Amino acid sequence: MTTSLMINGEERSLTCDPRTPLVDVLRNELRLTGTRNVCREGYCGACSVHVDGKPMSSCLLPVGTLEGRDIVTIEGISQGDKLDVIQQAFIDLDVIQCGMCFPGMVMTLRPFLRDNPSPSRDAVKFALVGNVCRCTGYERIIDAVMSVVDATEVTE
Ligand code: FES
Ligand code: FES
C-alpha cells in the first residue's frame, strides 16, 4: 500500500504495510536515524517525534494512521547548521554521554517550553518523566534546560 506522509515539511511517498511503526519507516526507509529505536513499547521516549506539534512515541504510531498529519523529527528542528537552543545547551553544558536519549528529550522539551516558557525545575523534571536516560542522572539535563528557559527562540 502507498502511504503519503508529510515529514519535516516535505511530502514523502512510501510503499509499506500501513501497520509499520513510524520509527521503522523513519530510520529504515527515510534514513532519518536521529529518531532512536530503543524499547519499542512506548516506555523510554527515545523515539519521540512531533505529530501536529505534540510529542508522540513513533514506535507506537502505525504509518497508516498518519496521512495528512504534520510530522517533525529531530532532523527537522535545526535550521541548517544552527542547532535548536536545547540541543546547543546540551552541548554547551557538556551533558551528552551515550546520546541515545537526547533526540527524544529535545522533541519532548520543545513543545513543553513553547507552552510553558518559564517552568520551574520541578515542572521540567515532570515534563521528562517519559524520557529515560540511563547515563546522566538527569540533574545536568535539567541544568541545561533551565539555562534556556528564557530563550525566545523556543517558539515551535
Ligand atoms: S522506542 Fe518508542 S518509547 Fe521507547
Ligand atoms: S545519555 Fe545515555 S541514555 Fe541518556
Side-chain angles (χ1 to χ4, degrees):
M1 178 181 164
T2 301
T3 303
S4 182
L5 298 181
M6 186 60 74
I7 299 178
N8 298 334
E10 253 183 76
E11 190 164 349
R12 310 295 293 260
S13 193
L14 303 152
T15 303
C16 64
D17 186 324
R19 295 169 297 181
T20 309
L22 176 62
V23 66
D24 291 344
V25 167
L26 293 174
R27 292 181 58 84
N28 303 336
E29 307 293 326
L30 303 177
R31 311 306 299 165
L32 294 170
T33 54
T35 301
R36 307 297 196 204
N37 188 8
V38 181
C39 73
R40 297 182 69 83
E41 293 181 349
Y43 169 69
C44 73
C47 67
S48 297
V49 298
H50 297 168
V51 179
D52 297 336
K54 296 196 175 79
M56 292 192 181
S57 297
S58 60
C59 66
L60 299 181
L61 295 173
V63 289
T65 66
L66 296 169
E67 281 201 314
R69 313 286 295 275
D70 182 29
I71 299 163
V72 177
T73 70
I74 189 73
E75 289 86 356
I77 64 163
S78 51
Q79 291 161 351
D81 291 341
K82 188 170 186 296
L83 293 176
D84 173 80
V85 288
I86 304 166
Q87 291 174 302
Q88 193 61 54
F90 283 157
I91 293 169
D92 293 345
L93 274 75
D94 203 17
V95 178
I96 297 170
Q97 293 188 30
C98 83
M100 282 301 279
C101 66
F102 279 102
M105 295 246 180
V106 172
M107 298 310 278
T108 296
L109 287 164
R110 275 188 66 88
F112 170 72
L113 292 177
R114 175 197 63 204
D115 297 340
N116 303 276
S118 301
S120 66
R121 196 173 174 90
D122 281 347
V124 173
K125 283 184 190 172
F126 190 72
L128 288 174
V129 76
N131 291 84
V132 174
C133 176
R134 290 182 176 274
C135 305
T136 64
Y138 295 93
E139 286 304 317
R140 291 177 62 78
I141 292 172
I142 311 295
D143 290 344
V145 177
M146 295 311 289
S147 79
V148 300
V149 150
D150 295 325
T152 54
E153 293 100 311
V154 183
T155 55
E156 185 197 322

